[in-house]
Every structure is written in structure tokens, then in C-alpha cells.
Amino acid sequence: MKEIRILCVYDGYITEEVMSKMKELEEFGARITMVSDDEMKDVGDVTNRMLLLEQKGLEAAPTYKTLLENCPDKEILVVHCTSINKEVLEACPKLKAAVVLRGGIENVDINELTKRKIPLINTSWRSADAVSDAAVGMMIAENKNIARSHHYMKEGRWVKSYVNQKYIHNMNKCTVGLIGYGAIGSRVAKKLKGFDSDILVYDPFVSREMIEKDGVKVVDLDQLLEASDFVSMHLRLSDQTKKIMGKREFAKMKKTAYFINTARAGLVDTSALVEVLKDREIGGAAIDVFDQEPLPTDHPYLELENITLTSHLAGTASDTPVVSVEIGVEKLKDFLTGMTEENDR
């Protein structure tokens, strides 16, 4: 069996201990080398890097020099948020695959990988359960005023009437519109079925057949906005989806409907959302992702009564790093088995 050299780069989120599961691949002919990305020593460093990549692109992120020093003889690179950019790819003449242990792939130069015919493996559903749990939780929190009531009680106030008092509904009386039906959106739908909610879906990137097999209804965007009591974002951010929710789209929503975003801030025109919330043109919102993080202390969101805010926590779970590596290991086992079979022909 030919030895396959794999370089794994761990960081402050996917730690050395968690990444060590990659050593299971040694049974498949892999030789594992592990290095630490010392530029991302803790979770804060990692989330800052994610935001930098999302907002300013791969070019804004530094090349990790230790990766460059260790990659020339490697055939597979496994990273979390460390960049695999053109400089890295030029230093890896033997590269046969790149692995990113996260859902997003902003830290990889896709064009260069494509030119070099190098496959990219990622763990697209690693935080799908965590984020889908949070999305449903934020729907309930905003509708039932859970965060507001907690806040008031900490202030010594016993508040029984809220701005949404006339349209607090049970979930089994609500229609939920999901914009996006990938790993996260589909899980949200599954969980909402337990509440007997009606579910509408808009996703131009997934076939109608794939969505309808789950027993949910496919509609166009305007139909979803007009009919839903909750509108929840689950698309990946791209040139096609940037600011897909703007002034026109918010105007289509019911005055009693809630807007939920646990996906990406760039999917939304923030100023348009602030305007409709301030003017009470929609019922409320629950937001986990922001154009600037941490949220500035003078942000207009903080002046609104009809919004629930969390500090980019939706994907947070102690299970997520472990799940990321577990998925990566299973995908690489398949990849290495395929390489072995090809070499045996």
C-alpha cells in the first residue's frame, strides 16, 4: 500500500486533541503530520478569521508560514480556517486533495484548485444540528418574548404586555418560510414538523424534487414572504445571494411576521431591516449574525424593542469540532480507498 502524506493544521477551535482522530487514517496508508496554526490560538481568533474571510475575502487573510514550510511533500492538506491560497498551492506540487473542516469554504482559492484539478472536501453539515436548533429556538424566543422577559425581570420588572401581544401565536398555527434548504434548512423543517407548523421553502439551488420529497411545499420568494409568519434564512452567501433580503422583500412580509437570521449577515440589507423594524412594518426579528462583530454599542438594533439578538452563537456547540473531524475522517477514508483502488488497477 502506497503511503499518502497528510498535513493537518489544528487551531484554537479544532484542537490538537480533536484533530488527532485523523490518525485513524493511518490504517488506510496515511502518514499524518500535525501542526498548530498559532495565529488562531483560541475561539475568538477563529471567529475573527471567519468574519474577515466572509467580509473581505481570501486575499485579506494571512498565509500561515508554518503550513508553507511543511506542505511541499504532502498529498493532502487538512485545515479548519487556515488559508489554502495560491501561495500555498504553489508550494504543494504533489497535492491530490484539500480538506476544509467547516461548512464555509471562504478560506480556499477555489479557482486555483479547479485549475489544478484538485478536489475539495469540506464538512458542509458539521454545525447543521447546532444552527437548526438555534434557528427554531430564536423563533420561539422572539415570538414568546423569552429574552425580553428575562431582561426585564433582571431589572426587577414584571412585564406582561409586549409590542407583539396581539400576534403571539402557537407554532402549530404558524407558517414558516425557509429561504434555503441545504443541510441546515432541511433540519429546521424536520424539527418544525414536531410543532405541526406549515412549511414553505424557497431555494433556487436545490431541485423541487429534492425538497418536496420531505413533504414541504416549494414556492417562489414572493409567495413565501407574503404567506409566512416566520421567514428564516438558510442560504450560503454568494454573489447571487448577497442582500437577497432588502427593502422590496421586507415590504412583502406580513406586518406580524418575524425575520430570523442565523446564516450570514451579508444575505440582508441591514439598513432596510432596521427601517422596517423601527416603523413596525414587520412583527420582529431574531438575529445572530452581523455586518460588524462585535456589534457596535451605537448600533440601531440596540434601540429596538422588537428584536432578539445573540452574539453569533447559533453554531456553537461542544459537539461541532468533534463532528467536523469525524465527517472529515469518513470522507477521507472514502477518498483514500478510491486512490488505493485506482493504484491497484
Side-chain angles (χ1 to χ4, degrees), residues 20-78:
S20 293
K21 186 175 177 62
M22 285 285 168
K23 292 180 180 178
E24 291 181 13
L25 298 172
E26 291 174 351
E27 297 178 17
F28 292 76
R31 179 179 174 185
I32 305 295
T33 301
M34 296 190 9
V35 298
S36 170
D37 189 332
D38 294 329
E39 293 175 357
M40 290 182 280
K41 293 182 178 180
D42 56 36
V43 174
D45 292 339
V46 173
T47 55
N48 288 340
R49 178 65 63 85
M50 288 180 178
L51 188 64
L52 176 69
L53 289 162
E54 179 185 331
Q55 294 187 341
K56 296 186 177 180
L58 180 60
E59 298 76 15
T63 299
Y64 188 52
K65 300 305 180 184
T66 302
L67 170 58
L68 286 180
E69 293 164 4
N70 283 272
C71 73
D73 64 334
K74 303 303 187 293
E75 294 165 277
I76 298 175
L77 294 182
V78 180

Side-chain angles (χ1 to χ4, degrees), residues 1-2 4 96 117 119 333-345:
M1 182 183 293
K2 182 180 179 296
I4 306 297
K96 292 182 172 62
K117 298 181 180 179
K333 285 179 181 178
D334 291 341
F335 185 80
L336 293 173
T337 300
M339 285 181 64
T340 301
E341 290 174 352
E342 188 173 314
N343 291 334
D344 289 344
R345 287 180 191 140

Side-chain angles (χ1 to χ4, degrees), residues 3-19:
E3 183 178 76
I4 306 297
R5 296 187 178 188
I6 300 178
L7 177 63
C8 300
V9 185
Y10 58 91
D11 57 31
Y13 187 68
I14 294 187
T15 63
E16 181 178 12
E17 180 183 2
V18 174
M19 187 70 88

